[in-house]
Amino acid sequence: MARYAQVSVDTQAVAIDKPLIYAIPDELKGKVFIGTPVLVPVKSNWVTGYVVGLSDEADLPLEAIKPVAKVLWNQPLFDEGLLKLARWISQYYHCALFDAVRLIVPPGWQQSVEERVWVEDLDSAERLMRESKRSSRRAELLKRLIDAGEPVKLSELRGEFGPSIRQALKQLCKMGVVKVSCAERTRMPSMVKRQAAKITEKGLSALNATETRLTEKHCSLLKRLREAPMPVTVSQLEDEGFTRHTIEALAVRGFVEIVEVVVPRVGELGPEGFEISPEGMILTDEQKAAIDEISACVDSGKFNVIVLHGVTASGKTEVYLRAIQRVIEFDGQALLLVPEIALTAQAAAIFRYRLGERVAILHSALSTGARFEEWMRILNDEVDVVIGPRSAIFAPLKRLRLIIVDEEQDESYKQDMMPKYNARDVALVRAKWHNAVVVLGSATPSVETYYRALTGKYKLVQLRKRVEDRPLPVVHIIDMRKASLKRSRWLSDILIDAIEKRLRDGEQVILFLNRRGYAPFVICTDCGFVETCPNCAVSLTLHRYNNILLCHHCNYSVSAPARCRTCGSETVAMTGAGTERIESEVMALFADAKVLRMDRDTTQRRGAHSAILSAFRKGEANILVGTQMVTKGLDFPNVTLVGVLNADVGLNFPDYRASERVFQLLSQVSGRAGRGERPGEVYIQTYNPQHYAIVASAKHSYESFFKRELIQRREPPYPPFTHLIDVVGSDENEGKAYEATKAAMDAVRAAIIDKGGKVTLLGPAPCLVSKLRGEYRFHFLMRSQSRADLMRVMSAALERMGSELKSKLSIDVDPMTIY
């Protein structure tokens, strides 16, 4: 039995980025395993940690080793397989192991420890506050703590000051001005439990034995339980006509066992109103070939990557279903990743209908309790399929044979805070270790993925036709430089005419604008003053429904002014349009139409995604206005018209993926039209009608876009011809932010000299959003054709840096954006 435990502790709380050694006291022997959450002492603090190693020997003096104080949960939260994945994430994405481990623990556990902050040295705190500028974050933080007069929850401070408050607290802790402590909560999220019945061996024997006397009702109940793969809740049996007396009578005779089971909160897991494809539907030849290829790879028991490139409405979901059914038949498990929570809801309805209750759903829109229940079902091997967005890649599956990444190119698979992992790439690593198959599905695969398929690193399977030979929608490009705009500033007359026709014919319309809010910014037409965020270098967006100006980066808000705050003029203009304004415009133009809007503002309430999509599918609305939430994966057979109101949003961003991103969005949203029996049309409004991304999307020609984009990326080299790391330095002080970035770049230069390798550097330069959540930002780019050289240099550079410098850096390996 191990005597010592290696514990990964919260690096943000104690500024330690490697596991610490602790003795396992006699009273905890046999209770500490890999994955066990524990409470341990670090200096003068008590912190939570996770056991990541066990040993009989320690390379420290015995007097320097402190004991584990307490086991916080009676079973491990992860196994060695998931720990191996966390270690890989820590190494590849250059983050602390603790930050990677937090990705693999059950949902809700992070909330089981409450951190509080209080002033330790009041005199020093008041002196520092006087010496600091009143507007500085340090002064505001100290004032908040002094005024409170008691410990304040760290979660409250994060909400008020943003996630970067950790850095300020670390500095104040080092100075002895404030103190942070952890109070452990030993209760995990609650689960809904119900009594259930299952047949016993004695009950099975009674059914087969002619001499056992059973009433007709008793016999029916035993047969019902024999056919059920899992215990059936007593309430469900009562709904089916079996009385509690009948159930209890069989339990007394030992034919039935009454057990307690966790009941999934089905109302949260998926919506009604989705059209489900029949299981016996006729497959196209291309679908059959795709299923055969995936099945053959799964049957081989070897790691394989298949790129499933299928046009919109070509039946990729049916291919996924059949492939997963094949995996389940051979006692395997499958994981389906989808990019949007809205798509999780749709997939949940379809897959639960076709595959039964052994399907688990994981996504952040569920309550903590529901997510924890699903996680525990997976951990206890009670499911065969897991569906969810990015975080579902860490589901504790033990019989994993197939991972499907739907819309593999989607940027939502990339986490935007440390560790900045890409779930698609984590899927490749996890599948390789399990000898599983990865299917990367998309109508518009990323340039890197398609390039690897063409060069033979991945297998390429294509679905070139829509199911039932339905035609792809006809796409019209509207040149907004010449278009007639007599009835609306935002919708051209030709688009309005097309909408009117669809409404007369009883068909549905989707209008896409990738910008939420009412107006992107408000400007005084007299003095030119624009309302901007004090925390971020961006303008504030007008949200008319609650009459506020809102920052979409840090959520800072202020009441929308009737007069200019600078000159007092009443000529304040709302410039541009977002989805809220378009919704209002469409309702005015089409008074008899029922209009729904789907964006982040309308989907904040739990279940809102499902409610909006279900209502639109049932025909309760004629027009759906939305951001990119409406562009991917949604299947509405009655939608025959899609209008893209501004195809140029994002086209001119200083980012090498800008054209690819626009092409993907246009192609995906166009694919929402004509998925039923009636053909579809798409109208794309643009001021750049000749741009190759727009022309290629109108022609449904991924290949022509890919060839042109590949030329653009060869010189200067960008992926797939090189590998990148983007390093961002940030601080409340602009000069210190620049110095931190420059110091990091100097460390990288020294590492290049020391370690060798062909790595080039670009920068440092201000980020496009030069100030974000109260901190100024600079960055530099590392580029190399050798991934090994790039990773070796980055690791060596980090070893040269102190903890204070590293705390100011954000490292993005394989960045999706570099602005």
PDB file of all heavy atoms in Angstrom, residues 30-33 35-38 70-77 109 186 188 372 376 379:
ATOM      1  N   GLY A  30      -5.687   3.046   2.237  1.00  0.00           N
ATOM      2  CA  GLY A  30      -6.770   2.340   1.556  1.00  0.00           C
ATOM      3  C   GLY A  30      -7.881   3.244   1.071  1.00  0.00           C
ATOM      4  O   GLY A  30      -8.874   2.774   0.499  1.00  0.00           O
ATOM      5  N   LYS A  31      -7.750   4.556   1.293  1.00  0.00           N
ATOM      6  CA  LYS A  31      -8.776   5.505   0.857  1.00  0.00           C
ATOM      7  C   LYS A  31      -8.255   6.507  -0.170  1.00  0.00           C
ATOM      8  O   LYS A  31      -9.022   7.320  -0.671  1.00  0.00           O
ATOM      9  CB  LYS A  31      -9.325   6.276   2.065  1.00  0.00           C
ATOM     10  CG  LYS A  31     -10.016   5.409   3.099  1.00  0.00           C
ATOM     11  CD  LYS A  31     -10.522   6.249   4.267  1.00  0.00           C
ATOM     12  CE  LYS A  31     -11.197   5.380   5.313  1.00  0.00           C
ATOM     13  NZ  LYS A  31     -11.689   6.200   6.468  1.00  0.00           N
ATOM     14  N   VAL A  32      -6.965   6.459  -0.434  1.00  0.00           N
ATOM     15  CA  VAL A  32      -6.348   7.416  -1.349  1.00  0.00           C
ATOM     16  C   VAL A  32      -5.918   6.693  -2.628  1.00  0.00           C
ATOM     17  O   VAL A  32      -5.116   5.759  -2.571  1.00  0.00           O
ATOM     18  CB  VAL A  32      -5.142   8.109  -0.701  1.00  0.00           C
ATOM     19  CG1 VAL A  32      -4.479   9.061  -1.689  1.00  0.00           C
ATOM     20  CG2 VAL A  32      -5.570   8.864   0.558  1.00  0.00           C
ATOM     21  N   PHE A  33      -6.466   7.114  -3.756  1.00  0.00           N
ATOM     22  CA  PHE A  33      -6.170   6.497  -5.037  1.00  0.00           C
ATOM     23  C   PHE A  33      -5.880   7.594  -6.072  1.00  0.00           C
ATOM     24  O   PHE A  33      -6.062   8.787  -5.807  1.00  0.00           O
ATOM     25  CB  PHE A  33      -7.368   5.662  -5.522  1.00  0.00           C
ATOM     26  CG  PHE A  33      -7.883   4.689  -4.515  1.00  0.00           C
ATOM     27  CD1 PHE A  33      -8.951   5.020  -3.684  1.00  0.00           C
ATOM     28  CD2 PHE A  33      -7.303   3.437  -4.389  1.00  0.00           C
ATOM     29  CE1 PHE A  33      -9.438   4.129  -2.748  1.00  0.00           C
ATOM     30  CE2 PHE A  33      -7.784   2.526  -3.457  1.00  0.00           C
ATOM     31  CZ  PHE A  33      -8.846   2.868  -2.628  1.00  0.00           C
ATOM     32  N   GLY A  35      -6.790  10.067  -8.620  1.00  0.00           N
ATOM     33  CA  GLY A  35      -8.073  10.729  -8.852  1.00  0.00           C
ATOM     34  C   GLY A  35      -8.821  11.123  -7.605  1.00  0.00           C
ATOM     35  O   GLY A  35      -9.875  11.765  -7.692  1.00  0.00           O
ATOM     36  N   THR A  36      -8.294  10.782  -6.428  1.00  0.00           N
ATOM     37  CA  THR A  36      -8.979  11.142  -5.178  1.00  0.00           C
ATOM     38  C   THR A  36      -8.786  12.637  -4.894  1.00  0.00           C
ATOM     39  O   THR A  36      -7.657  13.127  -4.892  1.00  0.00           O
ATOM     40  CB  THR A  36      -8.427  10.327  -4.003  1.00  0.00           C
ATOM     41  OG1 THR A  36      -8.675   8.944  -4.237  1.00  0.00           O
ATOM     42  CG2 THR A  36      -9.101  10.745  -2.697  1.00  0.00           C
ATOM     43  N   PRO A  37      -9.870  13.375  -4.627  1.00  0.00           N
ATOM     44  CA  PRO A  37      -9.731  14.780  -4.231  1.00  0.00           C
ATOM     45  C   PRO A  37      -9.398  14.866  -2.746  1.00  0.00           C
ATOM     46  O   PRO A  37      -9.995  14.167  -1.921  1.00  0.00           O
ATOM     47  CB  PRO A  37     -11.116  15.370  -4.515  1.00  0.00           C
ATOM     48  CG  PRO A  37     -12.050  14.214  -4.361  1.00  0.00           C
ATOM     49  CD  PRO A  37     -11.289  12.985  -4.765  1.00  0.00           C
ATOM     50  N   VAL A  38      -8.423  15.712  -2.414  1.00  0.00           N
ATOM     51  CA  VAL A  38      -7.963  15.783  -1.027  1.00  0.00           C
ATOM     52  C   VAL A  38      -7.783  17.235  -0.598  1.00  0.00           C
ATOM     53  O   VAL A  38      -7.659  18.137  -1.429  1.00  0.00           O
ATOM     54  CB  VAL A  38      -6.624  15.030  -0.844  1.00  0.00           C
ATOM     55  CG1 VAL A  38      -6.804  13.538  -1.028  1.00  0.00           C
ATOM     56  CG2 VAL A  38      -5.566  15.568  -1.811  1.00  0.00           C
ATOM     57  N   LYS A  70      -7.314  15.461   4.565  1.00  0.00           N
ATOM     58  CA  LYS A  70      -8.659  14.906   4.468  1.00  0.00           C
ATOM     59  C   LYS A  70      -8.935  14.425   3.058  1.00  0.00           C
ATOM     60  O   LYS A  70      -8.466  15.017   2.086  1.00  0.00           O
ATOM     61  CB  LYS A  70      -9.689  15.978   4.866  1.00  0.00           C
ATOM     62  CG  LYS A  70     -11.121  15.494   4.983  1.00  0.00           C
ATOM     63  CD  LYS A  70     -12.020  16.625   5.467  1.00  0.00           C
ATOM     64  CE  LYS A  70     -13.456  16.146   5.657  1.00  0.00           C
ATOM     65  NZ  LYS A  70     -14.336  17.253   6.116  1.00  0.00           N
ATOM     66  N   VAL A  71      -9.673  13.325   2.936  1.00  0.00           N
ATOM     67  CA  VAL A  71     -10.197  12.871   1.645  1.00  0.00           C
ATOM     68  C   VAL A  71     -11.559  13.518   1.454  1.00  0.00           C
ATOM     69  O   VAL A  71     -12.433  13.410   2.318  1.00  0.00           O
ATOM     70  CB  VAL A  71     -10.307  11.336   1.602  1.00  0.00           C
ATOM     71  CG1 VAL A  71     -11.107  10.892   0.381  1.00  0.00           C
ATOM     72  CG2 VAL A  71      -8.925  10.708   1.576  1.00  0.00           C
ATOM     73  N   LEU A  72     -11.748  14.210   0.351  1.00  0.00           N
ATOM     74  CA  LEU A  72     -12.951  15.009   0.163  1.00  0.00           C
ATOM     75  C   LEU A  72     -14.091  14.259  -0.510  1.00  0.00           C
ATOM     76  O   LEU A  72     -15.225  14.746  -0.533  1.00  0.00           O
ATOM     77  CB  LEU A  72     -12.618  16.257  -0.671  1.00  0.00           C
ATOM     78  CG  LEU A  72     -11.627  17.234  -0.032  1.00  0.00           C
ATOM     79  CD1 LEU A  72     -11.343  18.390  -0.972  1.00  0.00           C
ATOM     80  CD2 LEU A  72     -12.170  17.744   1.303  1.00  0.00           C
ATOM     81  N   TRP A  73     -13.803  13.111  -1.106  1.00  0.00           N
ATOM     82  CA  TRP A  73     -14.869  12.315  -1.721  1.00  0.00           C
ATOM     83  C   TRP A  73     -14.479  10.861  -1.660  1.00  0.00           C
ATOM     84  O   TRP A  73     -13.307  10.517  -1.757  1.00  0.00           O
ATOM     85  CB  TRP A  73     -15.102  12.760  -3.168  1.00  0.00           C
ATOM     86  CG  TRP A  73     -16.349  12.201  -3.784  1.00  0.00           C
ATOM     87  CD1 TRP A  73     -16.430  11.319  -4.817  1.00  0.00           C
ATOM     88  CD2 TRP A  73     -17.692  12.480  -3.408  1.00  0.00           C
ATOM     89  NE1 TRP A  73     -17.730  11.037  -5.111  1.00  0.00           N
ATOM     90  CE2 TRP A  73     -18.536  11.733  -4.255  1.00  0.00           C
ATOM     91  CE3 TRP A  73     -18.279  13.287  -2.420  1.00  0.00           C
ATOM     92  CZ2 TRP A  73     -19.929  11.778  -4.151  1.00  0.00           C
ATOM     93  CZ3 TRP A  73     -19.659  13.326  -2.318  1.00  0.00           C
ATOM     94  CH2 TRP A  73     -20.468  12.582  -3.185  1.00  0.00           C
ATOM     95  N   ASN A  74     -15.459   9.988  -1.498  1.00  0.00           N
ATOM     96  CA  ASN A  74     -15.155   8.592  -1.198  1.00  0.00           C
ATOM     97  C   ASN A  74     -14.836   7.738  -2.414  1.00  0.00           C
ATOM     98  O   ASN A  74     -14.660   6.535  -2.288  1.00  0.00           O
ATOM     99  CB  ASN A  74     -16.321   7.958  -0.418  1.00  0.00           C
ATOM    100  CG  ASN A  74     -17.640   8.077  -1.179  1.00  0.00           C
ATOM    101  OD1 ASN A  74     -17.648   8.443  -2.347  1.00  0.00           O
ATOM    102  ND2 ASN A  74     -18.738   7.757  -0.520  1.00  0.00           N
ATOM    103  N   GLN A  75     -14.778   8.329  -3.590  1.00  0.00           N
ATOM    104  CA  GLN A  75     -14.347   7.570  -4.752  1.00  0.00           C
ATOM    105  C   GLN A  75     -13.538   8.488  -5.673  1.00  0.00           C
ATOM    106  O   GLN A  75     -13.733   9.705  -5.671  1.00  0.00           O
ATOM    107  CB  GLN A  75     -15.539   6.975  -5.506  1.00  0.00           C
ATOM    108  CG  GLN A  75     -16.387   7.967  -6.276  1.00  0.00           C
ATOM    109  CD  GLN A  75     -17.523   7.298  -7.015  1.00  0.00           C
ATOM    110  OE1 GLN A  75     -18.632   7.224  -6.511  1.00  0.00           O
ATOM    111  NE2 GLN A  75     -17.248   6.788  -8.210  1.00  0.00           N
ATOM    112  N   PRO A  76     -12.621   7.915  -6.449  1.00  0.00           N
ATOM    113  CA  PRO A  76     -11.809   8.741  -7.350  1.00  0.00           C
ATOM    114  C   PRO A  76     -12.677   9.464  -8.378  1.00  0.00           C
ATOM    115  O   PRO A  76     -13.701   8.931  -8.827  1.00  0.00           O
ATOM    116  CB  PRO A  76     -10.887   7.725  -8.027  1.00  0.00           C
ATOM    117  CG  PRO A  76     -10.861   6.542  -7.110  1.00  0.00           C
ATOM    118  CD  PRO A  76     -12.221   6.495  -6.486  1.00  0.00           C
ATOM    119  N   LEU A  77     -12.253  10.660  -8.748  1.00  0.00           N
ATOM    120  CA  LEU A  77     -12.998  11.445  -9.717  1.00  0.00           C
ATOM    121  C   LEU A  77     -12.530  11.191 -11.152  1.00  0.00           C
ATOM    122  O   LEU A  77     -13.182  11.607 -12.107  1.00  0.00           O
ATOM    123  CB  LEU A  77     -12.865  12.938  -9.404  1.00  0.00           C
ATOM    124  CG  LEU A  77     -13.402  13.373  -8.037  1.00  0.00           C
ATOM    125  CD1 LEU A  77     -13.201  14.871  -7.849  1.00  0.00           C
ATOM    126  CD2 LEU A  77     -14.868  13.018  -7.875  1.00  0.00           C
ATOM    127  N   TRP A 109     -18.011  19.493  -9.442  1.00  0.00           N
ATOM    128  CA  TRP A 109     -17.042  19.322  -8.363  1.00  0.00           C
ATOM    129  C   TRP A 109     -16.235  20.583  -8.115  1.00  0.00           C
ATOM    130  O   TRP A 109     -15.864  20.906  -7.006  1.00  0.00           O
ATOM    131  CB  TRP A 109     -16.087  18.170  -8.676  1.00  0.00           C
ATOM    132  CG  TRP A 109     -15.003  18.072  -7.638  1.00  0.00           C
ATOM    133  CD1 TRP A 109     -13.720  18.483  -7.731  1.00  0.00           C
ATOM    134  CD2 TRP A 109     -15.157  17.595  -6.299  1.00  0.00           C
ATOM    135  NE1 TRP A 109     -13.049  18.276  -6.559  1.00  0.00           N
ATOM    136  CE2 TRP A 109     -13.916  17.738  -5.657  1.00  0.00           C
ATOM    137  CE3 TRP A 109     -16.223  17.062  -5.584  1.00  0.00           C
ATOM    138  CZ2 TRP A 109     -13.712  17.349  -4.340  1.00  0.00           C
ATOM    139  CZ3 TRP A 109     -16.012  16.680  -4.268  1.00  0.00           C
ATOM    140  CH2 TRP A 109     -14.777  16.817  -3.664  1.00  0.00           C
ATOM    141  N   THR A 186     -18.217  19.189   1.223  1.00  0.00           N
ATOM    142  CA  THR A 186     -18.120  17.766   0.906  1.00  0.00           C
ATOM    143  C   THR A 186     -19.349  17.232   0.174  1.00  0.00           C
ATOM    144  O   THR A 186     -19.434  16.048  -0.092  1.00  0.00           O
ATOM    145  CB  THR A 186     -17.926  16.950   2.203  1.00  0.00           C
ATOM    146  OG1 THR A 186     -19.018  17.216   3.087  1.00  0.00           O
ATOM    147  CG2 THR A 186     -16.638  17.321   2.878  1.00  0.00           C
ATOM    148  N   MET A 188     -21.524  16.725  -3.086  1.00  0.00           N
ATOM    149  CA  MET A 188     -21.542  16.816  -4.539  1.00  0.00           C
ATOM    150  C   MET A 188     -22.938  17.260  -4.980  1.00  0.00           C
ATOM    151  O   MET A 188     -23.877  17.287  -4.183  1.00  0.00           O
ATOM    152  CB  MET A 188     -21.205  15.454  -5.148  1.00  0.00           C
ATOM    153  CG  MET A 188     -19.771  15.026  -4.915  1.00  0.00           C
ATOM    154  SD  MET A 188     -18.621  15.947  -5.935  1.00  0.00           S
ATOM    155  CE  MET A 188     -18.437  14.810  -7.288  1.00  0.00           C
ATOM    156  N   PHE A 372     -24.074  16.269 -13.595  1.00  0.00           N
ATOM    157  CA  PHE A 372     -23.406  15.323 -12.707  1.00  0.00           C
ATOM    158  C   PHE A 372     -24.041  13.934 -12.813  1.00  0.00           C
ATOM    159  O   PHE A 372     -23.347  12.909 -12.828  1.00  0.00           O
ATOM    160  CB  PHE A 372     -23.465  15.821 -11.264  1.00  0.00           C
ATOM    161  CG  PHE A 372     -22.780  14.920 -10.281  1.00  0.00           C
ATOM    162  CD1 PHE A 372     -21.413  14.720 -10.359  1.00  0.00           C
ATOM    163  CD2 PHE A 372     -23.488  14.266  -9.290  1.00  0.00           C
ATOM    164  CE1 PHE A 372     -20.764  13.881  -9.466  1.00  0.00           C
ATOM    165  CE2 PHE A 372     -22.855  13.435  -8.394  1.00  0.00           C
ATOM    166  CZ  PHE A 372     -21.492  13.240  -8.480  1.00  0.00           C
ATOM    167  N   MET A 376     -22.072  10.560 -13.911  1.00  0.00           N
ATOM    168  CA  MET A 376     -22.019   9.360 -13.089  1.00  0.00           C
ATOM    169  C   MET A 376     -22.562   8.148 -13.842  1.00  0.00           C
ATOM    170  O   MET A 376     -22.062   7.024 -13.666  1.00  0.00           O
ATOM    171  CB  MET A 376     -22.790   9.571 -11.779  1.00  0.00           C
ATOM    172  CG  MET A 376     -22.177  10.607 -10.846  1.00  0.00           C
ATOM    173  SD  MET A 376     -20.422  10.290 -10.469  1.00  0.00           S
ATOM    174  CE  MET A 376     -20.551   8.765  -9.544  1.00  0.00           C
ATOM    175  N   LEU A 379     -19.620   7.156 -15.895  1.00  0.00           N
ATOM    176  CA  LEU A 379     -18.586   6.570 -15.051  1.00  0.00           C
ATOM    177  C   LEU A 379     -18.955   5.157 -14.620  1.00  0.00           C
ATOM    178  O   LEU A 379     -18.096   4.273 -14.537  1.00  0.00           O
ATOM    179  CB  LEU A 379     -18.366   7.456 -13.816  1.00  0.00           C
ATOM    180  CG  LEU A 379     -17.185   7.105 -12.909  1.00  0.00           C
ATOM    181  CD1 LEU A 379     -15.872   7.304 -13.647  1.00  0.00           C
ATOM    182  CD2 LEU A 379     -17.209   7.956 -11.650  1.00  0.00           C
TER     183      LEU A 379
END
